[in-house]
Amino acid sequence: MAPSLRLLLALLCAAPAFGLPTSPYEVKESVNPPHGWVQHSTAPPEHSIELRIGLPQPNFGILESHLYEVSDPDHHRYGQHLSKEEVEELVAPHPGSLDAVDEWLAFHGIQEEDISRSPAKDWITLSLPVELVEKMLDTKYHVWKHTKTGDYIVRTTSYSLPIHLHEHVDVIQPTTMFSQFKPFRSTISKVEAAPATSATDSLGSLVNPATGLTIDASCNVTITVSCLQQLYNAVGFTPSAKGNSIGITGYLEEFASIADLEAFFVQQVPTAENSSFKFVSVNGGINNQSDPGFEASLDVQFAFGLSHPIPPTFFSTAGSPPFIADDDTPTNTNEPYLNWLDFILSQEKIPLSISTSYGDDEQTVPESFAKRVCADFAQLGARGTSLIFSSGDHGVGDGDSNPATQTCFTNNGKNETKFIPTFPATCPFVTSVGATDNVAPEVAVSRFFSGGGFSNYFSRPSYQDPTVPNFLSKLAPGTFEGLFNPNGRGFPDVSAQGDRFEIIVGGQAFLIGGTSASAPTVNGFISLLNDVRLSKGLPSLGFLNPFIYKKGFAGFTDILSGHNSGCGTTGFNVTKGWDPVTGFGTPNFGKLKELVLETGA
Ligand SMILES: *[C@@H]1O[C@H](CO)[C@@H](O)[C@H](O)[C@H]1NC(C)=O
Ligand SMILES: *[C@@H]1O[C@H](CO)[C@@H](O)[C@H](O)[C@H]1NC(C)=O
Ligand SMILES: *[C@@H]1O[C@H](CO)[C@@H](O)[C@H](O)[C@H]1NC(C)=O
Ligand SMILES: *[C@@H]1O[C@H](CO)[C@@H](O)[C@H](O)[C@H]1NC(C)=O
Ligand SMILES: *[C@@H]1O[C@H](CO)[C@@H](O)[C@H](O)[C@H]1NC(C)=O
């Protein structure tokens, strides 16, 4: 106590112009741990935490207005994306916030060389031992264990900051975040050895009554790149524009094998034979060729197979949560999106469409953190990149046990039952994708349930105003009252096939499903649409939703059957028009390629 008091007095005497280096502490954020997490032990004092400090972005509202103007197909600025420098200027913190936080860090002996900053200086990253973080945040960390998965993480349920700092800090993590970021493939047990492709060729063909398109009958059993081209009306289209690019994000040590991609191309996309992707390491992420993952294989094989020869990039972000209690190597226990965002926002060139098939229950991500991450996604949209996320595989529920009995407990301290939306799918600045299966006609997938519903954090964005209330008005009065937030951002926006995708992992063929398959599929088609625009000298599509909700929806095939069970209910029903199961439906490339040329010419 005494030394820090001396230090305090010394600092006070230094009398900085911008205010006190410290002040009494007040709670900044406090949460209830989500269902399933129990306190296990106190955190080892020397355990290293990679702390993230998010500073407020006072001009974010201006960035948001620019984003909506350049993404609105009826606006004269449509497609006039912002530069890296323009975006950075708009998200930069106030100099007063930088000074106040720097001073507080210096007070705790932390120097400029100990920290790293995001390009706009709106995030600070630093590695510190638990004991110092506990002092700085006037809190106590514990090792928490998940009763079902057995995972361990080091977290606290509440942290404090000196009162004068509250206005200069938006969020500090990892503190109160208990999320279990995971790939949205429908459980590994659903992966099964694939039938030989030739065995199904004799099945003949089917006509999809919704589109009139003819599709190999084998596509009702096994989805290949060719099936998606037939089903979504892109047969024979070859991208040719210069300057296009497509990306896939990989996390949690999900690696993508080049040999597997090669074998996949030989089988499914012969024209892509001998081509590969550019691998980009984020934060030390590797791409271990001896350890291919199901998620990464699915994502790169289908997104890059559909979009070949558009230049593909696979990003592998380091991080293998959870922390193992008796392992004292400094494990990164952070949400890995942020590491990827730091990296990608610092790049001059960013792939024009990027999909991510990972996420978690929205309620396990603290609201303050979800909002900041979502605001970072807005920066990418403003720069002209389309971001595509899976909507989750548990319908309106949380994936606990079976959908008929799952209880969907909230962690708001009231232990209520509520539908559990998925983050980042609920972020209004990304396009979220649900899942269908069968091909004649397509229906909402029923082997698992397409994630969908309404955000409890993000209110309905204006681009959904002409659409979502329509859906709500069709619900019988009182339907699911109290279980969902009718004023929240509805998701998903669109959907695509999501089951029985044939992929190659470790040299063997497997069938795999999940909205994990739907997101890279939509990514592939968006990349083709970017080709259509670029080849006419038009800019990339960028943030898609204002276009989709205003015009693009006419280029999607409405899904008319199915629902998304969860939380002991049958969930929402698919309806005519947008619904929180399959959004506007699945892409019709032939129609969309006309629609994307009607805008912003
Ligand atoms: C497609 O497969 C599903 C079962 O997975 C079946 O119910 C449906 O009848 C099949 N559709 C056609 C047109 O064969
Ligand atoms: C791929 O490489 C192999 C071996 O070099 C070659 O035989 C084959 O023709 C190539 N395929 C294509 C499509 O270029
Ligand atoms: C790569 O994966 C293999 C197989 O799992 C493993 O034995 C090897 O240690 C891994 N290499 C690295 C650098 O992680
Ligand atoms: C919430 O209530 C249910 C019973 O309604 C109970 O089984 C469960 O343990 C409670 N959870 C918590 C975290 O209190
Ligand atoms: C969904 O449709 C079924 C069958 O028509 C109906 O019984 C049920 O009430 C509907 N559910 C909702 C949430 O509208």
Side-chain angles (χ1 to χ4, degrees):
M1 196 70 218
S4 69
L5 191 61
R6 260 202 317 278
L7 188 54
L8 167 65
L9 288 171
L11 280 163
L12 280 173
C13 292
F18 34 81
L20 293 172
T22 192
S23 55
Y25 274 74
E26 206 166 74
V27 172
K28 173 74 176 166
E29 185 165 66
S30 107
V31 301
N32 296 287
H35 195 63
W37 287 106
V38 293
Q39 229 179 61
H40 175 264
S41 55
T42 58
E46 66 291 349
H47 173 69
S48 174
I49 292 188
E50 187 176 274
L51 205 64
R52 293 294 202 131
I53 305 173
L55 278 56
Q57 305 167 321
N59 295 322
F60 182 76
I62 304 176
L63 175 79
E64 196 179 357
S65 325
H66 284 293
L67 173 65
Y68 278 117
E69 288 185 10
V70 303
S71 313
D72 174 353
D74 289 335
H75 199 280
H76 69 271
R77 289 183 65 205
Y78 183 71
Q80 294 175 26
H81 307 305
L82 276 61
S83 70
K84 176 172 183 284
E85 291 67 31
E86 285 167 330
V87 167
E88 282 168 11
E89 205 176 306
L90 289 170
V91 298
H94 191 279
S97 297
L98 284 166
D99 289 343
V101 171
D102 286 355
E103 222 195 8
W104 172 65
L105 294 176
F107 177 75
H108 288 280
I110 298 154
Q111 309 299 325
E112 185 66 26
E113 59 266 27
D114 302 329
I115 69 176
S116 63
R117 297 183 194 272
S118 62
K121 298 192 163 41
D122 55 333
W123 284 102
I124 293 173
T125 308
L126 65 169
S127 284
L128 296 175
V130 161
E131 57 186 336
L132 180 53
V133 179
E134 288 180 338
K135 205 179 289 171
M136 292 168 69
L137 303 182
D138 189 24
T139 187
K140 192 86 197 121
Y141 276 82
H142 283 87
V143 176
W144 292 75
K145 183 176 184 181
H146 197 274
T147 45
K148 218 177 106 200
T149 62
D151 289 350
Y152 293 96
I153 53 176
V154 174
R155 293 293 187 272
T156 173
T157 52
S158 163
Y159 71 95
S160 299
L161 282 175
I163 292 170
H164 81 280
L165 271 185
H166 280 229
E167 61 173 311
H168 299 301
V169 171
D170 260 358
V171 53
I172 300 186
Q173 290 296 349
T175 48
T176 54
M177 183 156 56
F178 285 80
S179 59
Q180 286 183 295
F181 185 70
K182 52 184 176 277
F184 283 137
R185 51 167 189 242
S186 66
T187 70
I188 196 94
S189 63
K190 299 236 163 105
V191 175
E192 47 200 64
T197 29
S198 53
T200 49
D201 282 353
S202 56
L203 294 178
S205 59
L206 294 169
V207 174
N208 180 350
T211 57
L213 293 164
T214 301
I215 300 127
D216 292 345
S218 63
C219 298
N220 200 45
V221 182
T222 302
I223 292 291
T224 60
V225 168
S226 164
C227 289
L228 295 171
Q229 289 164 338
Q230 295 172 49
L231 191 59
Y232 298 145
N233 199 9
V235 174
F237 181 84
T238 306
S240 60
K242 296 239 177 314
N244 202 357
S245 48
I246 179 171
I248 289 288
T249 63
Y251 295 102
L252 304 179
E253 301 185 336
E254 277 280 346
F255 305 125
S257 151
I258 289 162
D260 285 342
L261 181 69
E262 199 50 45
F264 176 84
F265 282 163
V266 167
Q267 268 189 16
Q268 295 197 25
V269 196
T271 52
E273 212 183 294
N274 299 341
S275 74
S276 184
F277 53 81
K278 178 172 157 197
F279 164 65
V280 174
S281 160
V282 178
N283 211 28
I286 61 167
N287 192 24
N288 186 342
Q289 292 301 298
S290 316
D291 190 16
F294 284 95
E295 183 62 63
S297 304
L298 169 66
D299 297 350
V300 303
Q301 289 171 20
F302 273 86
F304 300 163
L306 282 165
S307 58
H308 177 78
I310 294 166
T313 302
F314 174 64
F315 297 94
S316 172
T317 303
S320 57
F323 164 75
I324 308 299
D326 57 1
D327 175 0
D328 56 11
T329 55
T331 309
N332 179 3
T333 55
N334 226 329
E335 261 286 3
Y337 292 124
L338 264 189
N339 293 330
W340 180 75
L341 277 163
D342 268 1
F343 173 85
I344 199 83
L345 287 168
S346 71
Q347 304 297 301
E348 287 296 335
K349 278 203 164 299
I350 300 174
L352 297 179
S353 66
I354 302 176
S355 65
T356 301
S357 295
Y358 303 74
D360 197 7
D361 298 344
E362 187 185 69
Q363 68 166 355
T364 67
V365 184
E367 184 167 352
S368 58
F369 185 80
K371 291 204 156 148
R372 274 306 292 261
V373 169
C374 182
D376 277 5
F377 292 140
Q379 296 182 47
L380 287 170
R383 288 178 61 182
T385 288
S386 304
L387 291 177
I388 295 148
F389 282 81
S390 307
S391 72
D393 295 353
H394 308 299
V396 295
D398 56 9
D400 262 357
S401 62
N402 86 56
T405 57
Q406 53 179 246
T407 33
C408 299
F409 292 124
T410 59
N411 56 316
N412 58 6
K414 300 186 200 140
N415 195 22
E416 303 164 305
T417 291
K418 266 189 194 246
F419 290 167
I420 308 286
T422 307
F423 183 78
T426 52
C427 168
F429 304 123
V430 307
T431 299
S432 68
V433 184
T436 60
D437 66 3
N438 295 3
V439 298
E442 283 186 85
V443 299
V445 73
S446 57
R447 216 149 69 99
F448 57 94
F449 293 102
S450 181
F454 298 84
S455 176
N456 291 315
Y457 289 171
F458 300 98
S459 54
R460 183 165 62 233
S462 57
Y463 62 76
Q464 286 193 324
D465 280 343
T467 304
V468 171
N470 244 336
F471 170 81
L472 294 169
S473 70
K474 285 183 279 191
L475 289 176
T479 303
F480 301 146
E481 204 163 275
L483 289 179
F484 74 101
N485 169 21
N487 302 312
R489 184 256 203 264
F491 76 107
D493 301 298
V494 297
S495 50
Q497 286 284 312
D499 204 8
R500 304 191 178 97
F501 278 47
E502 184 170 349
I503 61 169
I504 295 193
V505 185
Q508 288 191 290
F510 290 91
L511 292 185
I512 186 170
T515 49
S516 263
S518 314
T521 297
V522 167
N523 190 10
F525 284 98
I526 294 301
S527 193
L528 298 185
L529 291 171
N530 274 330
D531 178 86
V532 169
R533 280 182 60 84
L534 295 174
S535 61
K536 292 275 192 283
L538 296 170
S540 63
L541 288 161
F543 173 38
L544 296 166
N545 296 1
F547 163 73
I548 292 175
Y549 281 79
K550 219 168 196 178
K551 298 201 159 157
F553 67 89
F556 287 82
T557 304
D558 199 6
I559 304 302
L560 296 170
S561 164
H563 57 96
N564 59 355
S565 296
C567 307
T569 76
T570 52
F572 293 107
N573 287 335
V574 162
T575 61
K576 199 163 160 25
W578 182 91
D579 53 67
V581 186
T582 56
F584 283 115
T586 58
N588 183 323
F589 177 74
K591 286 187 180 173
L592 282 165
K593 76 179 200 284
E594 307 302 322
L595 291 168
V596 298
L597 291 180
E598 280 172 21
T599 47

